[in-house]
Amino acid sequence: MPHECRNKVIITHTNSSKVEDAVDAFRHQNLHNYFIPVPSVTESCSVISAFALAAKLQEQKMNKVKTAKSKEKGWRDFRFEHWGCRFDVGDPNIGTDSVETMKFKLDDGTEMMQASFEYFTDWYPPIGVYRAMYNAGFEVTAYYFEPLEGMGGIFRNGRDTRKKLEIEKFAAGNNGNGQRFGPRNARDYFGSELDDHLHVGQYY
């Protein structure tokens, strides 16, 4: 898949069981569907079932293909509208996934649990899922970057800051003034925080 959006999502909560449930959903390739379930009428929502559905479509007889494609369009449309991307975590075609957890205490003694997820999505970041996490009571900081579109940003507790390069100028490797657009330019444009977490400069 050519357009791979890299995501690093950090969630924090005082209730460790809520974080553990999210981690369990991630490990079962069901993170997006855990926070925004796809209606059952549009087919199952895991990445595995999505690819299984595609394989099933090829095996069906011609007189059933139209109905099957209608179902496929249903879950695709729902996911794009509500998640922001097509597949859940664990897509074997676009990179690998990882998760780390930690517990810590605030200065006032409050115990917190944090999980950091890193994974790829197709084309766009799942902003709808980030927002659902925040609405569920998590502190959320999500970093995302898609190099071919030159698009990246940070979602932090309900606020999304997205930037996009002018592809006509930068896709050819220059900034319109005959100068190469390199790692330092990317860091300056997208900001040091995004570059520190996703190393956006390595793509230019």
Side-chain angles (χ1 to χ4, degrees), residues 62-183:
M62 291 300 295
N63 63 345
K64 294 183 179 180
V65 168
K66 185 175 181 180
T67 300
K69 285 186 176 180
S70 177
K71 288 183 178 180
E72 181 183 12
K73 184 176 185 297
W75 63 255
R76 285 176 185 268
D77 289 349
F78 182 92
R79 291 175 177 186
F80 270 126
E81 179 180 356
H82 297 279
W83 294 0
C85 61
R86 185 171 44 164
F87 294 121
D88 213 315
V89 301
D91 186 337
N93 292 316
I94 49 175
T96 57
D97 304 335
S98 65
V99 58
E100 296 181 356
T101 61
M102 64 176 290
K103 292 183 178 181
F104 61 94
K105 288 186 178 182
L106 300 179
D107 292 340
D108 63 4
T110 303
E111 294 186 351
M112 307 290 289
M113 185 170 181
Q114 184 177 91
S116 177
F117 308 103
E118 291 197 46
Y119 63 101
F120 291 85
T121 50
D122 52 302
W123 290 84
Y124 302 108
I127 297 295
V129 177
Y130 300 162
R131 198 171 301 281
M133 291 173 170
Y134 174 66
N135 291 338
F138 292 89
E139 293 181 14
V140 181
T141 301
Y143 305 93
Y144 58 88
F145 183 68
E146 202 290 296
L148 291 183
E149 288 288 321
M151 177 270 295
I154 302 172
F155 177 95
R156 181 178 283 112
N157 293 333
R159 184 168 181 264
D160 181 32
T161 58
R162 180 179 301 196
K163 286 188 173 182
K164 185 173 181 179
L165 292 171
E166 295 181 54
I167 295 299
E168 293 78 7
K169 289 184 178 180
F170 297 112
N174 66 74
N175 61 7
N177 297 318
Q179 297 176 342
R180 180 75 183 178
F181 184 82

Side-chain angles (χ1 to χ4, degrees), residues 43-62:
E43 293 285 346
S44 182
C45 313
S46 70
V47 171
I48 300 302
S49 64
F51 283 101
L53 175 60
K56 183 174 66 176
L57 291 178
Q58 295 179 357
E59 298 174 358
Q60 289 178 323
K61 295 180 180 179
M62 291 300 295

